[in-house]
Amino acid sequence: SLLVKGLEKHPDYISFHMRKGIALEALGRLDEAIAVFETVLQINPDHESASQRRLKCGMKIWPEDEFFEQITIATEAFPNNINHQFARLNYVLSVKKNFDLALEIVELCLKYHPNHERSLLYLALVHSWRGNHDDARKAIRKCLTRWPASNDVHITASQIEKNAENPTKQIG
């Protein structure tokens, strides 16, 4: 194919590798796609899109512990990449149920994206799940001030109040 010929002539041309990886991903050949995205990262370790796609493929085939290890490495390499941080956060909350680590991740997100709605909502929720209801209410008030028309903010505010009323049910 044209892509293979292009890679033969220009083996360090990232765009060709990315196209090949995306095509393999679309075909469900995830191991091969991961290998291609790893090649891109060898050529350019700062290529966030290759890192994201590699993780997206890996999430579907790697064991949970390996995925967590790989997402942790990616978040250290790209600490300001909110997609990496949220993938790690979702794993920490859904699998590990580690609210202290979740709070660290949310605070890192807010360091790089201080006005990010979803990060502030997670801050409120994580405080609530940790039993810090005053901090949760403070964070949700900030959200309500910034995004008064946001349905997500109002749903989260309601969830925080439920958590405060019924502290035994932490995640719902």
Side-chain angles (χ1 to χ4, degrees), residues 1-93:
S1 80
L2 209 53
L3 189 57
V4 173
K5 289 179 184 178
L7 280 169
E8 287 172 1
K9 276 187 161 182
H10 307 282
D12 290 339
Y13 193 59
I14 289 175
S15 184
F16 287 157
H17 287 287
M18 287 299 295
R19 287 183 181 129
K20 180 180 180 184
I22 291 166
L24 290 167
E25 180 183 356
L27 293 170
R29 294 164 52 185
L30 301 177
D31 285 325
E32 293 173 76
I34 289 169
V36 172
F37 296 132
E38 287 173 349
T39 299
V40 171
L41 291 166
Q42 288 172 357
I43 297 167
N44 179 2
D46 297 326
H47 201 288
E48 285 188 55
S49 181
S51 179
Q52 277 182 244
R53 288 194 169 275
R54 177 182 171 274
L55 290 171
K56 183 180 170 190
C57 292
M59 181 172 57
K60 296 173 184 173
I61 60 172
W62 292 332
E64 285 180 355
D65 288 343
E66 184 176 350
F67 173 73
F68 184 68
E69 180 183 331
Q70 294 300 321
I71 195 68
T72 300
I73 291 167
T75 55
E76 289 169 0
F78 303 103
N80 65 336
N81 184 308
I82 199 122
N83 293 320
H84 286 1
Q85 295 294 356
F86 277 121
R88 184 172 177 227
L89 178 63
N90 287 329
Y91 179 85
V92 164
L93 288 172

